[in-house]
């Protein structure tokens, strides 16, 4: 099946890089990477993480803008939303139920798999020790947990991004049509203006107390996951595609320029992580959620040209194939980490490697199956 003209092969590899970074972050938070404690430079990249969830929103905005290239195109929001939900929600639904079962077993106190006669007791014991289990499950399944995370348990934390994505998808048809009628001057104004909401969000975060939240961590989780905070990141991705398609970044199509820019941006991203521990928490938040967004966008533009050292690596066929499936590991890895800890000690290089191979292999095979089924369905018409 030929690729469309606006297909950017290297961006598939960028998805893989971001996905691996986030999976490794949650492995570290589960104490699975203690053996890497002496590699402080690497753990800084993992713990920050360097390639955080924001990169998925910039990338999605860029790619969807590349698909809505006709300003006269009329796409009904409802059908577009249902199309996106059908692609992502089923896996979220299954993963959330799996994580719910895993947590019930974990809280039950059982150290062995319960027999048939013990299932009821195990279920009751686990539910009794959980905080608002049924309300939490309903909130996750209805994609409302990220809006009011204090009202429920964390079942499958990466699912918060689906709420944000669906909000972004809802504005995609109208904003795309509006965007492609704007002048270059307006686009450059938007390029900068879209960082203003993030700066204000960081200032509110840094200057306010804990409000109604039980702890600073709970407050940070809300600010990190609040859906509307992600919309400017998505819109920024759409704006830079519009500028890219108008040739405003053609200078990056020179191999040596793109390669140098990629190296500079990676160094800049790493340096930005050195400022995450300053006393002013608002600045820490800005360094983690706003400065990287600009770097992600520029890095994405470098990769889109297909030039430079990282573009060549990301264009390798196997890297692209795994990268196209890498949002699935992002959604499913937390329950699999919990299950893996019950089977083996993840705090070893061998088991970490086996876990990563398993997660990305099944995700890639699932993605390849979907592609094959789509080709078969199209070919059968």
């Amino acid at each position: 099946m030929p690729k469309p003209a606006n297909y950017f092969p290297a961006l598939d590899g960028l998805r893989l890089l971001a996905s691996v970074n986030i999976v490794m972050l949650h492995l570290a938070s589960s104490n699975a990477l203690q053996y890497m404690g002496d590699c402080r430079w690497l753990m800084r990249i993992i713990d920050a993480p360097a390639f955080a969830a924001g990169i998925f929103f910039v990338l999605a905005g860029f790619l969807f803008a590349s698909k809505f290239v006709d300003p006269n195109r009329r796409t009904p929001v409802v059908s577009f939303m249902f199309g996106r939900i059908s692609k992502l929600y089923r896996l979220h639904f299954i993963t959330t139920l799996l994580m719910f079962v895993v947590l019930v077993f974990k809280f039950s106190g059982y150290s062995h798999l319960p027999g048939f006669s013990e299932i009821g007791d195990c279920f009751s014991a686990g539910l009794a020790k959980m905080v608002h289990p049924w309300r939490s499950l309903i909130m996750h399944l209805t994609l409302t947990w990220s809006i009011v995370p204090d009202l429920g348990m964390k079942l499958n934390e990466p699912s918060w991004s689906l709420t944000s994505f669906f909000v972004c998808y809802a504005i995609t048809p109208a904003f795309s049509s509006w965007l492609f009628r704007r002048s270059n001057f307006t686009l450059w104004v938007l390029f900068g203006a879209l960082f203003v909401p993030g700066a204000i969000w960081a200032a509110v975060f840094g200057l306010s107390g804990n409000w109604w939240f039980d702890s600073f961590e709970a407050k940070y989780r809300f600010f990190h996951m609040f859906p509307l905070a992600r919309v400017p990141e998505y819109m920024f991705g759409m704006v830079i595609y519009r500028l890219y398609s108008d040739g405003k970044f053609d200078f990056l199509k020179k191999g040596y320029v793109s390669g140098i820019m990629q190296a500079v941006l990676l160094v800049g991203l790493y340096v930005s992580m050195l400022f995450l521990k300053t006393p002013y928490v608002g600045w820490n938040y800005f360094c983690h959620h706003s400065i990287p967004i600009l770097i992600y966008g520029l890095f994405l533009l470098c990769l889109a040209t297909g030039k430079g050292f990282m573009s060549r690596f990301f264009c390798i066929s196997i890297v692209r194939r795994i990268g196209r499936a890498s949002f699935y590991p992002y959604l499913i890895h937390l329950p699999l980490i919990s299950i893996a800890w019950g089977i083996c000690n993840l705090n070893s290089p061998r088991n970490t490697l086996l876990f990563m191979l398993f997660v990305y292999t099944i995700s890639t095979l699932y993605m390849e199956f979907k592609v094959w089924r789509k080709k078969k369905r199209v070919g059968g018409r």
Side-chain angles (χ1 to χ4, degrees), residues 310-324:
M310 290 204 72
S311 293
R312 287 194 290 271
F313 173 75
F314 285 159
C315 284
I316 297 172
S317 178
I318 186 63
V319 175
R320 288 182 16 249
R321 286 177 180 271
I322 301 173
R324 283 196 295 269

Side-chain angles (χ1 to χ4, degrees), residues 4-168:
N6 56 357
Y7 174 68
F8 306 97
L11 299 189
D12 290 333
L14 181 60
R15 286 177 175 146
L16 176 58
L17 179 63
S19 175
V20 167
N21 197 176
I22 292 176
V23 173
M24 294 293 284
L25 164 69
H26 290 127
L27 280 171
S29 63
S30 74
N31 297 318
L33 302 181
Q34 293 185 33
Y35 62 87
M36 295 173 59
D38 291 336
C39 300
R40 294 184 180 179
W41 67 272
L42 180 58
M43 291 306 298
R44 182 176 288 117
I45 295 173
I46 293 172
D47 289 338
F51 293 91
I55 197 171
F56 286 110
F57 290 92
V58 179
L59 179 59
F62 185 91
L63 294 177
F64 273 103
S66 73
K67 295 176 182 179
F68 286 78
V69 293
D70 182 2
N72 298 312
R73 176 179 177 178
R74 294 291 181 267
T75 303
V77 175
V78 174
S79 60
F80 177 68
M81 290 288 291
F82 271 101
R84 299 308 303 161
I85 290 172
S86 68
K87 290 180 179 294
L88 299 173
Y89 184 79
R90 285 173 292 184
L91 182 59
H92 160 69
F93 183 87
I94 294 170
T95 305
T96 300
L97 290 181
L98 175 61
M99 191 64 180
F100 184 76
V101 172
V102 169
L103 287 178
V104 167
F105 175 76
K106 182 178 180 179
F107 279 94
S108 70
Y110 275 67
S111 58
H112 63 279
L113 287 177
F116 184 77
S117 61
E118 298 175 305
I119 291 178
D121 178 68
C122 175
F123 200 75
S124 299
L127 287 177
K129 296 178 182 178
M130 295 170 70
V131 180
H132 302 301
W134 296 114
R135 185 169 71 188
S136 303
L137 179 61
I138 292 172
M139 290 174 64
H140 275 270
L141 293 180
T142 57
L143 299 175
T144 56
W145 175 73
S146 65
I147 301 173
V148 281
D150 263 14
L151 297 183
M153 290 182 64
K154 177 175 64 178
L155 294 181
N156 187 30
E157 188 170 6
S159 68
W160 69 263
S161 62
L162 289 183
T163 309
S164 301
F165 270 120
F166 290 143
V167 172
C168 293

